[in-house]
Amino acid sequence: VDLKECLQSAEFISSSNENFKILEDGSVYTTSAVSLSAEKKTFTILLKDIQEHVQKKIHVSLVEEEKKKTRHARDTVLKRTKRRWGPIPSVMIENSLGPFPLQIQQVQSDTAQNYTIYYSASGPGIDQDPKGLFYIERETGNIFATRAVDREQYPSFQIICFATTPDGYSPEVPLVHTIRIEDDNDNAPYFTQDLFEFSVPENSKPGVVVGKVTAEDRDEPYTLHTTLKYRIVSQNPPVTPAFSLHGDTGVIAVLLPQLDRELVSSYTLLVEVRDMAGQPFGLCTTGTAVIRIEDTNDNAPCFKQTQYETRVEENRVNVEILRVSVVDLDEPGSPGSGAVYEIIRGNDDRSFEITTDKNTNEGILCVVKGLDYESAKQRILVIAVNNEAPYMLAPHSQQLSQSTSSVTVHVLDVDEGPVFKPCHLRLDVKECEEVGTSIGKYLAEDPETGNSEGICYRIPPGQCNWISIDEKSGEVRTIKVLDRDLGEMRQGQCNITVLAIDRNGKTGTGTIQVVIQPGNKNYPRITKTDYIMCRDRKPICLTAQDGDESPYSTPFVYRITDRSLASMWKITRHNDNSVYLSPKGDTPFGTYNIPVSVIDNGGKVGENLVKVNLCDCVTPTECDTGPRGYSNGNVTLGVWAILAMILGSLLLLLILITICGCCGSGVMHRHVTDDCANHNLIISNTEAPGEEVMDHNVIPLQNTNDQGGYGIKTGDQQTFEMVKGRGHTLESVKGGGHQTLGSVKEGGGQPMMDTCRYSYSEWHNFTHPRLGEKVHLCRQDEEQKHSEDYLLSYNYEGKGSLAGSVGCCSDQHEEEALDFLDQLEPKFRTLAETCVKR
């Protein structure tokens, strides 16, 4: 390969395939047997100019050459192969002293006479092959070394030898010859660190690992040249040996069972490492290891003084009065020496507090609550000290008790102002007390004299103006009628600051809390006093209210104060607030004014007049429009009642004429059928469509045996009153029954019944043809216009149904199915009463 054409200044030549070597002249050789029959061989030649930083590549492809198969053709059956030339690998001692050139090996071929070599080194200096280190004699094949070799730089060499005939033919395959550099112990071991630093807690037990020192050797591995041994040369301070060093591993462990930081805080070890397994002739190196002893809290703090004495003025707060200090042999600034102070005796009232100054480790004693000279002229405190870290008992130490110190505090007397006792006084006063009522006294004392002489009292302005205090005696009185329902008194309490001033002008303050207690100032009253009671005589619920609070409100006691009315009416308890009022026996209808007294829990009586209209009605609305009622058996009618009777009579007359006209006609016409069916009152609470008329205004009728009922049953035939309302006539159809018009007459003070009724057969003959005609018209009308005003009959509910017909127009012949009479309106009964009047 022409290398100069690609890169003329190539300093480094290599191949991407290790099976091929490229020489400087461009010759390419194989370093092992290569087969080209399977596939084409390709590799890349890499050229580098290290100084110019230029790199070039040459791609080479190898193919099998056909001509070479015929040139050396032999017998195709048997082939004779000559012996290859191959000397044993050579060995060269590192740092050899010569003399140079030094013969290493001789290579010879039986057929060749000229020899050349191409060599390469393997190892860290592979990129810097020592040119000219080896050469071969062209005629003899002797290989010589020109100088000594460093094994650490070049562990071995590979020399490719070429044998050629004088005419340039190469009968031999190139020989790869290995020259190994035998190691010489020319490198001393060295420590990986200049200084090893370790730490171990004091009082550690023997055998505790402290750390490990490590060393390395550049000589050949796994030989005596790199077999290292460690030992401790010396220890500083030169006391009893405290540590041991494992010779093979370099591990340092605790040897002395009593490592005391307070005696020796750190140790410095001089450590030696030697190769040749520690033999004296081996190479060695020394290093340094520093071992620091970590502090543990094995020394308890102790006060410098066992007694202290200090002074402080009375009533002073948040003032420092003393500093105490301790001695601790542990490491300063560590949790083992940090002092924690506490007061263990003499501070029951929490007047003192002690803290720690982090900078000086002193205890600062302060007064946080004012002291009273008159109460105690002297205070004795006992202070104890501990460390932040828990105490650890060392092997060489004994159990120590907690260090304590006593502090005597002298309280200095100061002229001070009056003091209220108590400083906060609560006074309870009832509502509606008279103005000027005394509610208590609030006095102050002079701490020096212990009495209240010469002290005057005053309430500063700007506070609630309910209360006043006597300047001399301190008596507290009301200046207003206290009412919790007025203004600022609604809160029910007020805090008043009171000043006490002695002869010297010293002032003391106190607080009075005036609490207004609820009083019984309101009368209970019944919220509703006008009622209407109908003929069912359902009890009336009376409810009273009282503006007072407990215990002056509920429970209430109700009484009827009129004896005559008390014999006719009775009161039944419901709950604490309410009672039921109901008549006794057959109390006649009429209006009654019943005096009812209500007594609250405080004994206050409220008189109430309850008006009850005992009316012959079903619903109270019947008696709201006029004064109609019953009294002593006489009937009184109002204007509206008379007008209602007249209009009802005219309406009833019109209905009778219409019914007679319809029944008298022999032929049923279409127009008559539509009109009559459309204006019948339909009870539509069955499965047939229609307007629902059974609403809350419909009131059931009582049996005819009751005095106030209007449902009449005579013999086997029952009559009923017809209903007017919502655009319907007085005729109505209900399944299984028939309707008649009952007229009510008076006779002998008792209601008598005279009936005028339609029989069921007459009613059936009237309605059945019309219903049939409507059905016929509905079938012929595509728009179903005739289906809106006739009753639908649902008389079949499926196979096996036991119900049969449930429609309102079912063909039933029972004369007793008149249950719909119980759902008639009160106005219909009023109309019936009007119609039977003379």
Side-chain angles (χ1 to χ4, degrees), residues 517-531:
Q517 298 294 338
N520 194 12
K521 63 179 180 179
N522 296 299
Y523 294 92
R525 60 184 180 85
I526 298 176
T527 56
K528 181 180 178 183
T529 58
D530 196 356
Y531 295 93

Side-chain angles (χ1 to χ4, degrees), residues 445-492:
E445 294 180 358
D446 191 334
E448 280 72 27
T449 62
N451 55 52
S452 303
E453 294 180 2
I455 299 177
C456 61
Y457 305 93
R458 188 179 305 164
I459 296 178
Q463 304 185 68
C464 56
N465 54 356
W466 314 343
I467 305 298
S468 66
I469 188 170
D470 188 89
E471 185 175 354
K472 300 296 183 182
S473 63
E475 188 172 9
V476 182
R477 296 180 179 275
T478 61
I479 58 177
K480 282 187 177 182
V481 176
L482 304 185
D483 190 350
R484 291 165 60 94
D485 296 333
L486 298 178
E488 59 183 3
M489 299 183 190
R490 292 180 180 176
Q491 296 181 358

Side-chain angles (χ1 to χ4, degrees), residues 160-465:
I160 305 176
C161 303
F162 303 94
T164 59
T165 58
D167 59 356
Y169 172 68
S170 297
E172 301 288 349
V173 177
L175 174 66
V176 179
H177 183 64
T178 301
I179 302 176
R180 188 176 64 84
I181 308 301
E182 186 175 350
D183 183 48
D184 182 24
N185 190 20
D186 58 343
N187 292 283
Y190 62 93
F191 285 101
T192 57
Q193 295 179 219
D194 295 334
L195 179 65
F196 292 92
E197 293 182 333
F198 307 105
S199 62
V200 63
E202 64 176 329
N203 304 317
S204 295
K205 296 180 180 181
V208 174
V209 175
V210 177
K212 180 180 180 180
V213 294
T214 56
E216 295 179 354
D217 197 323
R218 294 188 183 89
D219 291 323
E220 186 175 0
Y222 310 109
T223 64
L224 285 176
H225 297 167
T226 55
T227 303
L228 308 179
K229 285 287 185 179
Y230 301 90
R231 73 183 183 93
I232 297 176
V233 178
S234 64
Q235 172 185 295
N236 188 25
V239 292
T240 305
F243 303 95
S244 63
L245 177 63
H246 195 281
D248 295 330
T249 62
V251 174
I252 301 175
V254 175
L255 181 64
L256 185 66
Q258 297 178 355
L259 291 177
D260 190 355
R261 190 205 66 83
E262 287 72 37
L263 296 178
V264 181
S265 60
S266 66
Y267 293 86
T268 302
L269 303 181
L270 182 64
V271 183
E272 177 192 83
V273 59
R274 185 182 295 270
D275 61 11
M276 300 300 293
Q279 297 295 328
F281 52 82
L283 302 179
C284 66
T285 304
T286 58
T288 303
V290 177
I291 302 174
R292 187 174 63 86
I293 307 302
E294 295 180 349
D295 181 51
T296 58
N297 189 23
D298 58 345
N299 294 280
C302 181
F303 282 102
K304 291 183 179 181
Q305 296 179 223
T306 57
Q307 292 183 353
Y308 292 90
E309 192 171 350
T310 185
R311 291 172 174 80
V312 63
E313 295 179 352
E314 64 174 332
N315 300 322
R316 294 197 63 184
V317 295
N318 298 326
V319 58
E320 177 184 329
I321 62 174
L322 181 66
R323 279 180 175 253
V324 296
S325 57
V326 296
V327 176
D328 197 325
L329 299 178
D330 292 318
E331 184 177 2
S334 66
S337 65
V340 178
Y341 301 90
E342 62 175 336
I343 303 173
I344 60 176
R345 281 200 303 271
N347 191 32
D348 296 336
D349 57 351
R350 304 294 181 183
S351 298
F352 300 91
E353 183 180 84
I354 189 167
T355 57
T356 303
D357 188 338
K358 297 297 183 182
N359 297 324
T360 63
N361 209 31
E362 293 178 322
I364 305 173
L365 182 63
C366 299
V367 178
V368 294
K369 186 187 297 183
L371 303 178
D372 187 7
Y373 173 82
E374 288 72 27
S375 299
K377 298 178 178 58
Q378 170 179 293
R379 299 285 295 272
I380 299 177
L381 308 176
V382 178
I383 301 175
V385 63
N386 292 300
N387 289 129
E388 296 176 7
Y391 178 74
M392 298 179 61
L393 185 63
H396 61 278
S397 63
Q398 297 180 356
Q399 183 70 38
L400 298 178
S401 60
Q402 188 180 36
S403 179
T404 60
S405 179
S406 64
V407 179
T408 302
V409 181
H410 298 282
V411 183
L412 303 180
D413 186 23
V414 177
D415 185 15
E416 50 192 341
V419 177
F420 282 98
K421 293 185 178 180
C423 62
H424 187 278
L425 177 64
R426 171 176 172 144
L427 297 177
D428 295 335
V429 58
K430 292 184 179 180
E431 281 188 287
C432 303
E433 293 285 354
E434 296 181 359
V435 176
T437 302
S438 177
I439 61 175
K441 279 188 176 183
Y442 196 30
L443 300 178
E445 294 180 358
D446 191 334
E448 280 72 27
T449 62
N451 55 52
S452 303
E453 294 180 2
I455 299 177
C456 61
Y457 305 93
R458 188 179 305 164
I459 296 178
Q463 304 185 68
C464 56
N465 54 356

Side-chain angles (χ1 to χ4, degrees), residues 31-83:
T31 60
S32 61
V34 177
S35 175
L36 298 179
S37 59
E39 59 182 0
K40 181 174 64 175
K41 295 290 183 180
T42 60
F43 63 93
T44 302
I45 300 173
L46 181 63
L47 308 176
K48 288 184 180 180
D49 188 339
I50 300 176
Q51 295 181 354
E52 298 295 333
H53 299 287
V54 178
Q55 178 174 309
K56 298 292 183 179
K57 293 181 180 179
I58 300 176
H59 299 284
V60 179
S61 298
L62 298 180
V63 296
E64 185 178 4
E65 187 176 359
E66 298 293 340
K67 294 181 181 180
K68 291 185 178 181
K69 293 182 180 180
T70 58
R71 178 178 176 181
H72 300 286
R74 295 288 189 272
D75 188 2
T76 57
V77 179
L78 298 176
K79 289 185 179 181
R80 180 176 178 272
T81 303
K82 69 172 183 170
R83 176 178 60 84

Side-chain angles (χ1 to χ4, degrees), residues 660-679:
C660 294
C662 293
C663 295
S665 176
V667 181
M668 301 300 176
H669 298 284
R670 178 180 302 176
H671 299 288
V672 176
T673 303
D674 293 343
D675 182 72
C676 293
N678 190 41
H679 292 284

